[in-house]
């Protein structure tokens, strides 16, 4: 196997995303005593992502993965700490950030091209400019020829490509993805994951990718953050030393399976704790 060459080769490459001592908690009332306590969801998370890196986050159910992404996106306020993108503090939705969610977010009454234009339209970009940008992005994500199709005429994987295209049209510094392929079958996930890597190779956007699938995390990423059971902390950062570019054949390689096993060794105790905790709350 050839030597791994990470996409960010310049040690002076700027930090795209910085997470500084981020915590999140909610007030909670004890049903027996009426006393007010707090539920800690995230605890003191500090991480950095250099420009052009693809980072995945895995963790047990309920560990706060999606909460972390929503805080990074400016959609949820942290209880403590801060998020910065290229040094700019995130206090709400930010023009340097774009989000792709798991749910199908295409608008059924708009064509592919009109869906991709939506964010630019909201920003007030003139129609000729947003149309030209959207046409380029539609071609980039492999949907050329489907510009006038409606979501009902597309497969689930194609609709997710529309969502990715809409995010990329905004020219974000960081692309945030919250289990974007979770609703797809396994074969489609592998196929669209390969397509996502091709898009990433061409754009080199910084990506923070939430997933529950260890194989998906290994296949896509430069490094994987493993979160603990609630309150979520970063337990381990696992570098992924697989060569790029990658394709589906890599899923059968010995090193792929070694890395997946390494992630499971970190994740398994946390998953067991999560199951025990959920059972005790029933």
């Amino acid at each position: 196997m050839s030597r791994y060459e990470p996409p960010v080769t310049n040690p002076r490459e700027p930090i795209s995303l910085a997470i500084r001592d981020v915590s999140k908690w909610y007030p909670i009332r004890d049903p027996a005593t009426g006393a007010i306590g707090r539920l800690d969801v995230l605890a003191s998370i500090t991480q950095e992502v250099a420009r052009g890196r693809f980072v995945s986050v895995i963790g047990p159910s309920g560990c706060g993965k999606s909460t972390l992404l929503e805080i990074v996106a400016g959609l949820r306020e942290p209880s403590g700490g801060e998020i910065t993108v290229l040094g700019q503090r995130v206090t709400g939705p930010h023009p340097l950030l774009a989000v792709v969610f798991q749910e199908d977010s295409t608008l059924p009454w708009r064509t592919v091209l009109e869906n991709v234009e939506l964010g630019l339209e909201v920003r007030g970009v003139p129609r000729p400019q947003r149309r030209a940008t959207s046409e380029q992005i539609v071609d980039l994500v492999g949907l050329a020829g489907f510009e006038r199709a409606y979501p009902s005429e597309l497969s689930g994987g194609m609709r997710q490509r529309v969502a990715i295209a809409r995010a990329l049209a905004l020219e974000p510094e960081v692309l945030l993805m919250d289990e974007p392929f979770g609703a797809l079958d396994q074969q489609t996930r592998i196929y669209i994951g390969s397509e996502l890597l091709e898009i990433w190779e061409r754009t080199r956007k910084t990506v923070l990718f939430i997933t529950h699938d260890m194989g998906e995390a290994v296949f896509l990423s430069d490094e994987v953050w493993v979160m603990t059971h609630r309150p979520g902390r970063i337990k381990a950062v696992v570098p992924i030393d697989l060569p790029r570019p990658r394709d589906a054949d890599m899923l059968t390689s010995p090193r792929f399976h070694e890395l997946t096993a390494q992630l499971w060794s970190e994740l398994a105790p946390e998953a067991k704790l999560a199951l025990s905790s959920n059972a005790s709350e029933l």
Side-chain angles (χ1 to χ4, degrees), residues 110-136 147-148 150 169:
R110 298 181 70 125
T111 65
V112 166
L113 198 58
E114 290 167 345
N115 266 286
V116 175
E117 287 182 337
L118 180 61
L120 297 173
E121 184 178 332
V122 170
R123 286 187 178 178
V125 175
R127 188 176 186 278
Q129 182 181 341
R130 69 175 187 254
R131 178 56 55 96
T133 298
S134 298
E135 287 175 345
Q136 292 175 0
E147 292 88 346
R148 293 175 176 77
Y150 288 91

Side-chain angles (χ1 to χ4, degrees), residues 128-188:
Q129 182 181 341
R130 69 175 187 254
R131 178 56 55 96
T133 298
S134 298
E135 287 175 345
Q136 292 175 0
I137 299 297
V138 165
D139 183 62
L140 173 69
V141 301
L143 288 173
F146 291 90
E147 292 88 346
R148 293 175 176 77
Y150 288 91
S152 61
E153 302 171 298
L154 306 176
S155 68
M158 293 173 76
R159 288 195 295 274
Q160 277 302 78
R161 276 191 273 167
V162 174
I164 294 169
R166 184 170 57 208
L168 290 174
L170 297 172
E171 298 185 352
E173 171 68 20
V174 181
L175 182 61
L176 306 170
M177 309 187 79
D178 190 6
E179 299 197 42
F181 311 144
L184 305 177
D185 62 78
Q186 189 64 26
Q187 295 92 332
T188 303

